[in-house]
Amino acid sequence: MRENNIQDILKRVKRAFSDRFYKKILSETDKKWIDDPIDKVLETLLSFLKSLE
């Protein structure tokens, strides 16, 4: 992992979470164990990471 601080981690996560192919894979998997919409889950995770700054 090349990230050395929370800002680098946030940058990497934001890039991954904004990738439409990544989001499509997450939303279409049959192993989905969270019933909330994937956009809501990703936004919640991102908010949590931002709170660590």
Side-chain angles (χ1 to χ4, degrees), residues 17 22-23 26 37-47:
F17 286 3
Y22 180 70
K23 288 166 61 171
L26 290 177
I38 196 62
D39 287 331
K40 180 180 177 184
V41 173
L42 296 179
E43 183 58 39
T44 302
L45 290 170
L46 191 58
S47 294

Side-chain angles (χ1 to χ4, degrees):
M1 192 166 167
R2 296 178 295 235
E3 296 74 26
N4 296 315
N5 56 46
I6 191 66
Q7 290 82 16
D8 292 343
I9 294 168
L10 279 170
K11 189 175 174 182
R12 169 74 64 111
V13 170
K14 284 179 186 178
R15 192 172 346 135
F17 286 3
S18 65
D19 185 303
R20 66 184 175 118
F21 296 111
Y22 180 70
K23 288 166 61 171
K24 183 179 179 186
I25 290 168
L26 290 177
S27 64
E28 293 180 353
T29 183
D30 60 344
K31 308 225 180 342
K32 190 173 163 185
W33 53 274
I34 299 177
D35 291 330
D36 290 335
I38 196 62
D39 287 331
K40 180 180 177 184
V41 173
L42 296 179
E43 183 58 39
T44 302
L45 290 170
L46 191 58
S47 294
F48 170 74
L49 290 173
K50 285 179 181 178
S51 75
L52 299 176
E53 281 189 290

